[in-house]
Amino acid sequence: MSEEVQAIEATPLTRGIPVLPDVRMHLHTPASPGVGVIVSNERCTASAKAAAFVRHIVIDMSRTALAGSFVSGQSFGVLPPGIDAKGRPHQLRLYSIASPTRGEDGQGLHLATTVKRTIEELPDTHRLYLGVASNYLCDLQPGDEIKVTGPNGKRFVLPVDHGAHDYLFMATGTGIAPFRGMVLDLLAQDSPSRITLVMGSPYASDLIYHHEFLALQERHPRFRYLPAISRERQADASPPMYVHDHLVRSRDLLIPMLESERTLIYVCGIAGMELGLLQKLARCLPPSALEQYLTADAQTLGEVDTWTRRMLHKQVKPTRRVFLEVY
Ligand SMILES: Cc1cc2nc3c(=O)[nH]c(=O)nc-3n(C[C@H](O)[C@H](O)[C@H](O)COP(=O)(O)OP(=O)(O)OC[C@H]3O[C@@H](n4cnc5c(N)ncnc54)[C@H](O)[C@@H]3O)c2cc1C
């Protein structure tokens, strides 16, 4: 086979596929955790009257192996003190790193995360249930020590060559955490990359890091920030919408972006949001653009309304240009 033919055949397989960096992982495990120290712990919703309690928590990792060894998009583990109902030590919970790779301090020593308090009224007993790790974290005060593990995750990270791609980030709730770090990483570089962040929230008061993203958008024309409010009207009085509805609402921005061979899609947040997005992509994109993000046979593509989460990665396969982290 001639070199020319090989090149033509290779193109569709490699087109736009990002090369991911080798990242460090599991430097601390539950058996040998590191000890971080709380630097600050502040509310990070748009309004103090938000329905949810969400806090931006900065941890000094200087005394741990995570210092200088994490990248934006990774997560880390927290070991809450105490024992569970069965008398065993509480299990580790994962939290996304909300900092850029250089950390909050510019040296990769101070790592931030974004924690939402889990608060529920239990259906059977109507008693209040407070999530173990999230409330432990949100209660911590500056100077308190905390047992940590990680870093975790090698797939939900930015590619090696940041400037080779454009980025569509879609978040709901605390799924915004990794995107704060990634956006700050990307904007710190002088690159041509266009970045669009779609942030979903039930109420405008609950938008996380809202004022920070507005300020970044003001300073960087290549960064667009698009909130999507699902239980009340938008700031311009248009009807409630979900993140994926921006494919219609902001089609002039997003469709050309998605047709480009440069674009990568990252999705983080509430499990289930990825299905709505993939369905919307299938409805809104022409086949030549759609195949960049998902593959499915003709019959499946003809029955988009019937897709379920169980079909993902089987009948409906996101490509390597789609990054999913839902929990
Ligand atoms: C990769 C990854 C990244 C994540 N990133 C973040 C992040 O950045 N920010 C964030 O806030 N979260 C994040 N999470 C979720 C986080 O790990 C925790 O799951 C979340 O904070 C809840 O933990 P918790 O200990 O507070 O709640 P838990 O105590 O674990 O409770 C969780 C749920 O289990 C049920 N439950 C547990 N015990 C009982 C009981 N005894 N009785 C009745 N019901 C019970 C309740 O329904 C409750 O809502 C992430 C998860 C993953 C996998």
Side-chain angles (χ1 to χ4, degrees), residues 246-265:
H246 265 297
L247 261 66
V248 175
R249 173 89 196 272
S250 305
R251 68 174 80 80
D252 292 348
L253 171 72
L254 295 184
I255 300 300
M257 186 177 179
L258 288 163
E259 285 175 337
S260 159
E261 292 185 0
R262 287 174 50 87
T263 300
L264 306 178
I265 303 176

Side-chain angles (χ1 to χ4, degrees), residues 81-321:
I83 52 173
D84 64 19
K86 292 181 180 157
R88 294 176 303 209
H90 283 304
Q91 286 192 339
L92 170 147
R93 269 73 162 179
L94 290 177
Y95 291 90
S96 298
I97 294 172
S99 303
T101 302
R102 62 183 183 278
E104 299 299 299
D105 60 331
Q107 298 178 54
L109 303 179
H110 290 187
L111 170 158
T113 186
T114 318
V115 182
K116 178 185 173 188
R117 288 186 189 270
T118 295
I119 303 176
E120 282 176 21
E121 189 183 74
L122 297 175
D124 297 345
T125 61
H126 64 84
R127 298 188 69 165
L128 196 62
Y129 178 77
L130 299 180
V132 172
S134 58
N135 286 287
Y136 161 69
L137 281 165
C138 288
D139 285 350
L140 289 171
Q141 302 292 320
D144 285 347
E145 294 189 341
I146 166 182
K147 286 185 183 169
V148 296
T149 66
N152 293 69
K154 60 180 179 183
R155 168 100 181 110
F156 201 81
V157 295
L158 291 172
V160 173
D161 185 356
H162 292 183
H165 300 277
D166 296 321
Y167 302 86
L168 175 58
F169 296 137
M170 306 201 94
T172 51
T174 53
I176 196 69
F179 298 141
R180 176 180 178 270
M182 289 180 177
V183 167
L184 291 172
D185 268 348
L186 291 168
L187 292 179
Q189 285 192 340
D190 188 16
S191 94
S193 296
R194 291 176 299 158
I195 308 151
T196 300
L197 170 64
V198 184
M199 168 69 201
S201 173
Y203 307 104
S205 58
D206 287 56
L207 286 165
I208 301 170
Y209 302 128
H210 180 60
H211 301 292
E212 185 172 2
F213 289 128
L214 285 176
L216 286 170
Q217 178 173 245
E218 193 77 17
R219 286 211 309 276
H220 299 274
R222 64 193 176 93
F223 172 57
R224 289 294 305 275
Y225 168 57
L226 305 175
I229 310 300
S230 60
R231 292 194 199 160
E232 61 184 6
R233 290 186 168 269
Q234 313 305 305
D236 65 1
S238 57
M241 63 188 288
Y242 293 107
V243 282
H244 56 248
D245 292 325
H246 265 297
L247 261 66
V248 175
R249 173 89 196 272
S250 305
R251 68 174 80 80
D252 292 348
L253 171 72
L254 295 184
I255 300 300
M257 186 177 179
L258 288 163
E259 285 175 337
S260 159
E261 292 185 0
R262 287 174 50 87
T263 300
L264 306 178
I265 303 176
Y266 290 70
V267 180
C268 188
I270 300 162
M273 68 175 290
E274 76 282 27
L275 176 65
L277 172 66
L278 294 173
Q279 287 176 302
K280 205 70 166 184
L281 288 174
R283 291 190 191 105
C284 294
L285 290 181
S288 59
L290 181 63
E291 70 177 15
Q292 303 189 102
Y293 307 106
L294 68 86
T295 57
D297 63 29
Q299 187 185 344
T300 306
L301 284 174
E303 301 169 344
V304 174
D305 290 344
T306 67
W307 290 5
T308 62
R309 281 195 82 212
R310 298 180 71 168
M311 294 168 71
L312 298 184
H313 307 288
K314 297 181 189 117
Q315 294 98 319
V316 180
K317 292 185 184 151
T319 69
R320 285 161 60 199
R321 285 173 56 186

